[in-house]
Amino acid sequence: MPTNNAAENPEVTVTKPSTVLDRTGEQTQKEKEELLKVLEELAGRLEHELRAVLIFWDNHSQDEDHSGFLTCVDYDGTIYDTTKYSALQAQQTYIYAKLYNCTDVYHTEETLASAKLGGEFLLRHAYRPADSRCNHSLTREGKPLSLRPDMVTEVYFVMALYELHYATKQANYLSRAESVLRTVISWIRDPGTLNYNGVESSTSTLTDLGHVFRMLLAVCEHNPTKLRQHKEDFNFLVKRILQHVQRDGSVVLELVQCGSSGSSEIQGAKGRLVNPGTVLEVGWMLLKFSQLTHKKELRKQAMTLFVENTFNAAWDPGYGGVFRYLDVDGLSPTELTWNMKLWWPVAEAMISLIMSYKYSGNRVFLNQFSRAFDYAMVHFREPDHGEWYGYADTQGRITHTFKGGPDKGCFHVARCLWMCAKIVREVVASGGVEK
């Protein structure tokens, strides 16, 4: 069994130390050149890590016998459970299709074949034509086991098939994606139609809004006309997301009560809950949307409140890493995992921070990105077999040795590394940052 001693060596750093990153104020030409060189090396490191992650999943997860992917994978690639979770099937399909569509190095027949392997399983087994929903879990052969009582599976199904349609131009991918898309939109506009987990329809959940926002941005990425087609949906989502900003614009809460006159806090521990990973992801999605729609005020709010303030509040000053949950009043959150460090919040932090640096030029964001990247490389990265672990305790010690499980597959890490490398290369190519 592997060991993780990173918590005993908190001073270990992975990114190349450079006083260039610590400087503020105006830069000399020499300093700019030094910074661009550091960024060039950073992009190369991110791309190297992405390749290691993909090799792990390529070698161990693809199910050539029954299509789809085996995602319950131990640290060394051993399959410990053959249950297939449709959300993870869709996530991995999306990653392969996205890399095929958007990169030169992965625009290969092998990458496309991997994406289609997942798409075939999703169409044949995950999709439920009777109600335009998706089965949550299935046997290896595709026999349905359960239906998840939320929209997560459907969101990733839509993302995967839209991206796969763009790669293949096959109409069946598009028709199924659009059918499920309409179902998800109806849910987010009227949560009572889904009615899961006992949440009242007047309660707005930031996580749900983030899922749908992610889906719509993915749908519109290759087709600008979709941005106009879904204008009302985007306006609804952004307005509702901003209703989660409470206490005079100082915090973004996970749950709020929404009505015709606006939004308000929910009393009790649930109402004080902050979900930093989700806030950070929503933050970079708002940044991306504000760039597409030229909304400068929204960009400023996303960068300051959703990214900067949230990262500062959620970063553990003692052991590093992003806390899973926070209580806005500084009390102990009631969630038992609140002080754990998970792979995906730090991945979302990396994306949001490097994107904020790109659009602001504020090197504080770059320093924070370096801190988050170092933490992930020291605590989650497993160098012998590739991929990241997913779960660590407060001190950064790994608690679960598998690389893939019911909630972790080939998505957050790969998306993070690809997006961050892409953004860094864009900064280098432009000779600086965008303002």
Side-chain angles (χ1 to χ4, degrees), residues 343-408:
W343 84 105
W344 71 267
V346 77
E348 301 306 329
M350 287 171 57
I351 298 172
S352 66
L353 291 166
I354 201 65
M355 192 179 292
S356 295
Y357 170 68
K358 174 185 176 181
Y359 292 139
S360 70
N362 186 343
R363 273 171 287 169
V364 170
F365 288 123
L366 188 56
N367 295 337
Q368 292 172 328
F369 168 84
S370 180
R371 191 188 312 171
F373 184 37
D374 283 344
Y375 182 89
M377 292 295 96
V378 171
H379 293 273
F380 289 126
R381 176 178 180 264
E382 195 277 298
D384 293 333
H385 302 94
E387 240 299 344
W388 294 7
Y389 295 118
Y391 307 88
D393 65 13
T394 304
Q395 294 177 294
R397 295 171 299 200
I398 296 303
T399 59
H400 300 67
T401 62
F402 57 75
K403 303 279 184 61
D407 298 303
K408 181 183 184 295

Side-chain angles (χ1 to χ4, degrees), residues 45 119 281 383:
R45 179 61 191 278
E281 183 184 16

Side-chain angles (χ1 to χ4, degrees), residues 181-309:
L181 172 66
R182 290 190 292 270
T183 299
V184 173
I185 294 297
S186 70
W187 286 340
I188 201 64
R189 285 188 170 274
D190 183 8
T193 60
L194 187 55
N195 190 28
Y196 65 91
N197 294 340
V199 176
E200 296 183 9
S201 60
S202 60
T203 300
S204 178
T205 305
L206 186 66
T207 295
D208 285 349
L209 296 170
H211 286 318
V212 183
F213 200 18
R214 182 194 313 116
M215 177 189 72
L216 284 181
L217 284 173
V219 165
C220 298
E221 193 155 10
H222 298 298
N223 187 351
T225 63
K226 291 286 186 181
L227 194 64
R228 295 189 294 272
Q229 180 182 331
H230 289 286
K231 180 179 179 179
E232 290 186 7
D233 296 322
F234 276 116
N235 289 341
F236 171 84
L237 285 169
V238 172
K239 179 181 178 180
R240 184 57 62 87
I241 286 169
L242 295 180
Q243 287 180 323
H244 284 255
V245 178
Q246 296 289 321
R247 304 200 177 189
D248 298 321
S250 64
V251 68
V252 186
L253 298 176
E254 172 66 9
L255 298 171
V256 295
Q257 203 76 25
C258 290
S260 57
S261 59
S263 64
S264 60
E265 282 191 43
I266 296 172
Q267 295 301 309
K270 290 292 185 183
R272 298 194 304 269
L273 191 68
V274 177
N275 186 342
T278 293
V279 178
L280 289 164
E281 183 184 16
V282 170
W284 69 254
M285 290 191 292
L286 287 172
L287 275 175
K288 191 172 183 178
F289 179 72
S290 68
Q291 288 300 113
L292 292 172
T293 55
H294 310 290
K295 297 180 183 293
K296 292 184 178 181
E297 190 59 34
L298 179 63
R299 182 176 75 171
K300 180 180 178 181
Q301 190 170 14
M303 205 176 296
T304 302
L305 177 57
F306 284 76
V307 180
E308 183 178 13
N309 292 0

Side-chain angles (χ1 to χ4, degrees), residues 33-47:
E33 292 173 356
E34 290 176 354
L35 178 58
L36 290 176
K37 182 179 180 181
V38 170
L39 292 175
E40 180 77 32
E41 293 174 355
L42 174 61
R45 179 61 191 278
L46 289 162
E47 290 162 350

